[in-house]
């Protein structure tokens, strides 16, 4: 074969894509119930948006972005995450002028150049929500609860949340000095990325996957929180307790993006080995201002849909993959074949689903197709039935067969729904 899909991408074929539609449908329904509205932003943006919004010291910006110069010699990047683009749209379209909190959600592809592995692709898909305009910890709890509830309603096992506070600017500055005092003596033993980031953003060092064993005795950021940060974190935990969300405090959790303030969290479920993180997020009170908007707070999360599918499969959770067909038509004879075409279109116009044979196969082969499509009914029309203005309708689950008038077929099928 001359062409193959790019490394780190996948074809979602019929029979599989329905599983994705099931998860996406659950997410959309939850957003409806929580009063979040969909937003769709471009798949590529100015590179500087992600450098400023995601952070120069992140793995995403330093190593993973798909960046290119367009025909106007402008640097563009395929979006590696959803938040920066949503915040840019929030600022550019002046959504901050609305009287209520902007509660938004998105579903779509993201792009990062990294080594493909289970649950991690170069083109991957995320469901995410963003709530902009409120600093109240109640909205933090709502966002976390929405993500948690999605996992629960999908039937994932051992769903839990890990939370932390990464503080405000004041407490982060204090913690920065405390952490540097811990890290500097071991600087020469750390990986090159950690050495590079230590002075620029030492909190990012704690997120390193190479040197984790060296940070066991690292000071906790919770010990550096000021009164404001402590109060926010305590209220958040109270709201999560009220909701019955299963959570635990993880004082090492800092997340991999630079824009987080106060709340940081991850959603977890029983996975495959170390693959148990479904998604995560946090609060980003300075991001809107960094991107050029007014000083507006925000909080959100992103959930990896590939990771969801992997865990659903690992936990043997069955989801609906193919909606049953309402009617499969079998035509016996040239005149009957044309009438079946008319009936099929009329059925579809009415909101029901239908199919017919287009390969000129015998009746036995057509009936096998009806079984493969899990048709509720098979409608069989021959030239003799056509002359009488009738059609045979067979219920596939019971085998019961009846004769109905051609003009009554749609009403009969609908009445038996």
């Amino acid at each position: 074969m001359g062409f193959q899909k790019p490394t780190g991408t996948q074809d979602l074929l019929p029979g599989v894509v329905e599983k994705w539609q099931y998860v996406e449908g659950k997410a959309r329904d939850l957003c409806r119930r929580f009063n979040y509205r969909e937003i769709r932003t471009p798949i590529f943006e100015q590179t500087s948006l992600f450098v400023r919004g995601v952070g120069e010291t992140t793995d995403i910006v330093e190593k993973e972005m798909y960046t290119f110069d367009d025909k106007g010699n402008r640097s563009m990047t395929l979006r590696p995450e959803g938040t920066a683009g949503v915040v840019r749209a929030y600022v550019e379209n002046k959504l901050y002028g609305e009287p209520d909190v902007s509660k938004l959600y998105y579903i779509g592809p993201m792009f990062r150049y990294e080594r493909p592995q289970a649950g991690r692709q170069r083109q991957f898909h995320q469901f995410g929500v963003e709530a902009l305009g409120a600093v109240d910890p109640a909205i933090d709890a709502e966002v976390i609860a929405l993500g948690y509830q999605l996992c629960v309603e999908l039937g994932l096992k051992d769903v839990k949340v890990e939370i932390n506070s990464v503080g405000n600017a004041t407490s982060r500055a204090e913690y920065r000095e405390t952490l540097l005092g811990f890290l500097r003596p071991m600087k020469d033993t750390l990986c090159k990325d950690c050495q590079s980031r230590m002075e620029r953003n030492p909190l990012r060092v704690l997120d390193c996957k190479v040197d984790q064993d060296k940070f066991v005795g690292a000071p906790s950021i919770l010990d550096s929180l000021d009164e404001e940060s402590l109060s926010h974190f305590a209220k958040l935990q109270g709201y999560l307790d009220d909701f019955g969300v299963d959570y635990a405090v993880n004082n090492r959790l800092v997340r991999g993006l630079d824009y987080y303030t106060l709340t940081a969290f991850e959603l977890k479920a029983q996975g495959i080995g170390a693959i148990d993180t479904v998604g995560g997020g946090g609060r980003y009170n300075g991001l809107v201002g960094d991107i050029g908007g007014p000083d507006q707070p925000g909080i959100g999360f992103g959930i990896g849909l590939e990771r969801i599918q992997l865990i659903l499969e690992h936990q043997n959770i069955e989801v609906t993959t193919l909606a049953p067909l309402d009617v499969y038509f079998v035509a016996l004879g040239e005149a009957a074949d044309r009438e079946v075409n008319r009936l099929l279109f009329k059925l579809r116009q009415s909101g029901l689903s239908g199919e017919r044979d287009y390969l000129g196969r015998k009746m036995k082969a057509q009936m096998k197709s009806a079984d493969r499509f899990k048709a509720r009914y098979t409608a069989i029309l021959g030239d003799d039935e056509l002359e009488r203005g009738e059609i045979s309708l067979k219920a596939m689950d019971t085998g019961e067969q009846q004769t109905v008038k051609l003009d009554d077929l749609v009403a009969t099928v609908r009445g038996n729904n």
Side-chain angles (χ1 to χ4, degrees), residues 151-404:
C151 296
V152 170
E153 293 192 12
L154 287 172
L156 303 186
K157 300 180 179 69
D158 295 334
V159 179
K160 60 182 179 180
V161 179
E162 290 188 355
I163 63 172
N164 191 24
S165 175
V166 294
N168 56 19
T170 302
S171 53
R172 281 164 73 95
E174 178 181 330
Y175 180 63
R176 184 181 190 280
E177 296 307 313
T178 303
L179 182 59
L180 281 172
F182 172 81
L183 293 174
R184 279 172 178 150
M186 65 176 72
K187 181 176 180 178
D188 292 341
T189 70
L190 300 178
C191 71
K192 290 183 178 179
D193 286 339
C194 286
Q195 292 181 30
S196 171
R197 292 169 181 163
M198 186 179 296
E199 299 299 331
R200 292 184 294 161
N201 190 349
L203 268 72
R204 288 283 295 113
V205 174
L206 296 181
D207 203 40
C208 176
K209 303 299 185 290
V210 177
D211 292 323
Q212 276 297 311
D213 59 322
K214 299 174 183 176
F215 307 142
V216 174
S220 169
I221 191 171
L222 298 180
D223 295 331
S224 297
L225 296 184
D226 61 11
E227 186 175 342
E228 176 193 19
S229 301
L230 284 170
S231 174
H232 189 280
F233 196 46
K235 289 177 181 177
L236 167 64
Q237 293 176 70
Y239 288 128
L240 294 178
D241 289 336
D242 293 342
F243 295 159
V245 171
D246 185 5
Y247 73 91
V249 175
N250 176 1
N251 62 19
R252 298 272 297 282
L253 177 63
V254 297
R255 300 288 297 158
L257 306 177
D258 283 358
Y259 50 58
Y260 288 121
T261 59
L262 296 173
T263 304
F265 64 93
E266 288 187 345
L267 297 157
K268 295 180 177 290
Q270 183 187 93
I272 304 172
I275 302 175
D276 62 354
T277 300
V278 176
R283 178 165 281 284
Y284 45 85
N285 288 352
L287 183 58
V288 176
D290 287 343
I291 288 178
D295 186 17
Q296 290 286 319
I299 183 169
F301 69 69
I303 287 179
L305 298 185
E306 280 82 0
R307 193 65 60 87
I308 288 278
Q309 293 295 336
L310 191 67
I311 294 176
L312 284 171
E313 181 180 356
H314 177 68
Q315 295 185 358
N316 297 314
I317 298 171
E318 293 293 329
V319 301
T320 302
T321 60
L322 185 63
L325 204 63
D326 288 314
V327 182
Y328 189 93
F329 286 89
V330 175
L332 306 174
E334 187 174 336
D337 186 80
R338 180 163 182 177
E339 177 62 16
V340 156
N341 255 359
R342 185 187 74 83
L343 290 170
L344 176 57
F345 187 69
K346 183 178 178 182
L347 182 92
R348 290 166 171 169
Q349 282 182 312
S350 76
L352 298 173
S353 60
E355 187 56 281
R356 57 153 294 173
D357 176 64
Y358 293 100
L359 300 175
R361 294 175 295 187
K362 301 294 185 181
M363 181 176 177
K364 183 177 180 181
Q366 294 186 51
M367 295 299 288
K368 287 183 178 179
S369 284
D371 284 333
R372 284 194 296 272
F373 286 117
K374 297 181 172 61
R376 295 172 50 239
Y377 293 97
T378 300
I380 305 169
L381 182 66
D383 289 342
D384 291 342
E385 289 86 358
L386 180 58
E387 286 185 10
R388 297 193 301 269
E390 297 175 342
I391 190 168
S392 296
L393 189 64
K394 179 180 179 181
M396 297 297 284
D397 56 348
T398 65
E400 181 181 346
Q401 192 162 323
Q402 59 180 312
T403 300
V404 300

Side-chain angles (χ1 to χ4, degrees), residues 34-204:
F34 279 66
N35 195 34
Y36 284 71
R37 298 177 296 167
E38 185 176 9
I39 184 170
R40 302 187 184 190
T41 62
I43 288 179
F44 63 94
E45 302 262 9
Q46 296 176 51
T47 301
S48 56
L49 171 67
F50 299 114
V51 173
R52 179 176 294 183
V54 176
E56 294 184 16
T57 63
T58 61
D59 284 344
I60 294 174
V61 170
E62 290 187 336
K63 303 176 182 179
E64 298 171 0
M65 295 202 309
Y66 276 92
T67 298
F68 60 95
D69 289 338
D70 69 8
K71 292 184 182 296
N73 292 321
R74 293 169 292 245
S75 181
M76 297 291 175
T77 295
L78 299 179
R79 63 186 185 193
E81 55 92 50
T83 299
V86 171
V87 173
R88 191 267 314 146
Y90 173 80
V91 172
E92 183 175 348
N93 295 282
K94 297 181 172 58
L95 297 184
Y96 51 79
E98 296 181 351
D100 298 308
V101 175
S102 291
K103 297 167 64 173
L104 309 167
Y105 79 91
Y106 59 85
I107 299 175
M110 311 290 164
F111 305 85
R112 297 183 192 175
Y113 189 88
E114 53 187 341
R115 184 172 63 85
Q117 53 186 296
R120 192 183 296 273
Q121 299 289 326
R122 290 178 178 174
Q123 176 178 311
F124 60 102
H125 301 78
Q126 280 190 343
F127 158 62
V129 307
E130 313 291 348
L132 296 119
V135 73
D136 189 335
I139 198 75
D140 300 41
E142 177 182 281
V143 166
I144 293 172
L146 193 160
Y148 176 83
Q149 190 64 21
L150 174 63
C151 296
V152 170
E153 293 192 12
L154 287 172
L156 303 186
K157 300 180 179 69
D158 295 334
V159 179
K160 60 182 179 180
V161 179
E162 290 188 355
I163 63 172
N164 191 24
S165 175
V166 294
N168 56 19
T170 302
S171 53
R172 281 164 73 95
E174 178 181 330
Y175 180 63
R176 184 181 190 280
E177 296 307 313
T178 303
L179 182 59
L180 281 172
F182 172 81
L183 293 174
R184 279 172 178 150
M186 65 176 72
K187 181 176 180 178
D188 292 341
T189 70
L190 300 178
C191 71
K192 290 183 178 179
D193 286 339
C194 286
Q195 292 181 30
S196 171
R197 292 169 181 163
M198 186 179 296
E199 299 299 331
R200 292 184 294 161
N201 190 349
L203 268 72
R204 288 283 295 113

